Amino acid sequence: MSKVVEISPTTRHEGHSKLVLKVNDEGIIERGDWLSITPVRGVEKLAIGKTMEQVPKIASRVCGICPIAHTLAGVEAMEASIGCEIPEDAKLLRYILQCANRMHSHAIHNILSLPDMYIPGTDTKINPFTKEEPVRSVALRIQRLREIGQTIGEIVGGEAIHPSNPRVGGMYTNITPRAKAKIYDLAKEARVLAQQQMEFMIAVFRNYQKRDWAEVGGVEVPIPDDLGYHNQGYMATAPVYGSSSLDENPTWFPERFTEVRPWDWYMGEVEITEADPNYPIGGTTPVGNKAWPQMEACTGVPLYDGQPVEVGPRARQAIFKNYDEKGTIGLQIARQMEFPETAYGIIDAVDALNTSGKVLADEIPQGDGSLGWAANEAPRGTDVHLARVKDGRVQYYSMLVPTTWNFPTCSRALEGAPWRLAEVIMRGYDPCVSCATHMLVIDEDKRLVAQKLIQ
């Protein structure tokens, strides 16, 4: 007979989510629901009537980890709607921003994943904040990579967190020759550090893959060989940057996208019948409480070609580099494989950049209400923004962000795993939940059902 376990909230990622798990007598997950419980922010509604310059800046505020990706996707959705091509040097500056953001984000994810892992050859879990070697040097390297990514982001974007330099039509300003030289020096330093970090992290993940068990809350849990496997597809638009409806050959297709309600996807009301007070951090939900994923989920469920898809590093590696390793560890390793190319990408773009070049289009149309979209390959996966702009004002705006795509796919990947390893699988997806929350639940009469979520 199935039992129900709830882990709420999940930890070591951005935003708030929960896991509701039906498990068998051996504690193996028969059905897993991973859902956002972050309150709705309503960015799509806030956008209506605003200027096309305001909306990308509003959209970037949904997250402090990948605001560069949201800014670029938002700006380019506007440009796609109004039909505005930008100068080549503006594209290069945006490419540098993209690589810097990925370098910073992957480094953060290493910090969040390491406590699940072990020092190779030992049964000692990794505490990334210990002063003991070799972990101390690794932590310092991670922080330096983050610092380099943020510094380059600030130089090119104007601000380290929410970039102010990108604008509809290109960039407000080009960088100076001195700034170019500094970025070049930073990227050369990062190239060495990123290679070292990739090699260390892959060794740590391979070590976990070879282990028979992991300790969670004082319990030795068997690690299955197929931890985190799923049979869903992948979706990615480019190895590094992305695509938009302005492209001659776009690589994302809106007609292949559909969305269903959480009511039609997640399980109904259930009672918690299994609990572990020693589970980190603070134990699982006590027995006797209720969970109702259908009503609690704060996102829609996006499908591509009628099924959930995985987005992110492995999807990019699988589609563009024939990478074929499945499971949670395969996903983690794919992320590490992207580390060095963030530095090489910056170096190549800086080499090509003309600091005297034009970075703003001569003419910026005001739009006739046509639909435009931009699909940016954010660190966590494909970040699609869609817009309609008329006379400089936004008539329609929608964000299909990476973790929204990964919620249903990861839920499938939980099946067959011990429930105590469910968060290890979830963290492999590098969840960034806050920006994924953008849905209001209405009934068949268009009445708001989940009003409590926006109060």
Side-chain angles (χ1 to χ4, degrees), residues 110-423:
N110 282 182
I111 289 283
L112 301 176
S113 291
L114 279 173
D116 291 324
M117 302 294 136
Y118 291 80
I119 296 174
T122 76
D123 289 334
T124 302
K125 279 197 170 181
I126 296 176
N127 172 6
F129 303 106
T130 183
K131 294 182 180 179
E132 302 294 327
E133 293 292 357
V135 179
R136 178 65 171 170
S137 296
V138 173
L140 291 173
R141 186 167 63 217
I142 289 172
Q143 295 295 49
R144 181 58 181 156
L145 283 165
R146 289 187 59 212
E147 184 178 28
I148 291 173
Q150 290 291 76
T151 302
I152 293 174
E154 183 174 8
I155 293 171
V156 177
E159 297 174 58
I161 304 299
H162 296 100
S164 54
N165 197 23
R167 57 159 295 172
V168 175
M171 304 287 281
Y172 280 104
T173 61
N174 203 335
I175 61 173
T176 65
R178 185 176 180 184
K180 175 177 176 175
K182 183 173 183 179
I183 292 172
Y184 196 75
D185 288 344
L186 289 170
K188 284 196 295 183
E189 179 186 353
R191 181 179 57 184
V192 177
L193 297 176
Q195 182 71 29
Q196 294 171 345
Q197 186 62 17
M198 178 191 71
E199 292 172 359
F200 172 82
M201 293 300 297
I202 289 178
V204 166
F205 289 127
R206 290 292 185 213
N207 174 70
Y208 188 88
Q209 204 170 32
K210 293 174 183 174
R211 291 181 62 85
D212 295 326
W213 57 271
E215 182 274 328
V216 182
V219 178
E220 287 191 6
V221 185
I223 303 174
D225 292 338
D226 59 352
L227 182 71
Y229 277 40
H230 66 74
N231 293 316
Q232 308 303 320
Y234 298 121
M235 185 180 79
T237 60
V240 177
Y241 198 87
S243 180
S244 86
S245 52
L246 282 182
D247 292 347
E248 185 176 350
N249 296 301
T251 53
W252 190 78
F253 304 93
E255 63 274 16
R256 294 169 66 180
F257 157 72
T258 54
E259 190 172 37
V260 298
R261 302 177 305 172
W263 183 267
D264 300 317
W265 188 267
Y266 288 110
M267 67 178 89
E269 188 175 24
V270 291
E271 181 174 328
I272 309 304
T273 53
E274 178 79 6
D276 181 357
N278 297 317
Y279 182 85
I281 302 172
T284 62
T285 303
V287 169
N289 283 273
K290 299 288 181 64
W292 197 350
Q294 283 177 329
M295 288 298 294
E296 295 174 294
C298 293
T299 63
V301 179
L303 308 175
Y304 204 60
D305 295 331
Q307 67 170 358
V309 289
E310 178 182 319
V311 300
R314 177 167 50 200
R316 292 190 282 261
Q317 296 285 333
I319 292 174
F320 297 103
K321 298 186 179 180
N322 297 318
Y323 182 77
D324 62 357
E325 186 162 344
K326 300 181 72 175
T328 296
I329 299 301
L331 174 50
Q332 293 276 23
I333 289 172
R335 178 171 296 107
Q336 308 314 312
M337 292 167 63
E338 289 191 330
F339 239 134
E341 68 186 28
T342 61
Y344 284 110
I346 292 170
I347 290 170
D348 290 344
V350 168
D351 279 340
L353 179 71
N354 175 7
T355 55
S356 299
K358 184 173 64 175
V359 294
L360 187 62
D362 291 330
E363 181 182 355
I364 302 175
Q366 295 301 294
D368 59 4
S370 298
L371 178 67
W373 58 262
N376 181 282
E377 284 299 324
R380 293 161 175 79
T382 311
D383 180 25
V384 184
H385 290 214
L386 305 97
R388 291 185 187 275
V389 179
K390 185 175 182 180
D391 300 328
R393 298 276 172 177
V394 174
Q395 295 182 317
Y396 165 79
Y397 192 62
S398 185
M399 300 166 64
L400 305 171
V401 306
T403 306
T404 313
W405 296 99
N406 280 334
F407 274 123
T409 307
C410 178
S411 295
R412 293 291 183 266
L414 296 168
E415 296 173 2
W419 72 261
R420 286 182 175 83
L421 298 183
E423 281 194 280

Side-chain angles (χ1 to χ4, degrees), residues 22-85:
K22 285 188 176 179
V23 304
N24 64 18
D25 291 338
E26 286 73 44
I28 303 300
I29 298 169
E30 295 176 332
R31 173 181 174 135
D33 277 3
W34 177 39
L35 54 142
S36 167
I37 53 174
T38 302
V40 168
R41 297 186 173 189
V43 169
E44 284 90 345
K45 292 297 181 185
L46 285 171
I48 304 303
K50 302 289 193 303
T51 69
M52 58 182 174
E53 289 291 355
Q54 288 176 300
V55 171
K57 299 187 185 307
I58 295 172
S60 77
R61 265 60 184 180
V62 298
C63 182
I65 306 298
C66 41
I68 286 175
H70 287 308
T71 298
L72 297 180
V75 165
E76 291 176 10
M78 304 300 159
E79 291 166 350
S81 175
I82 63 177
C84 180
E85 294 282 357

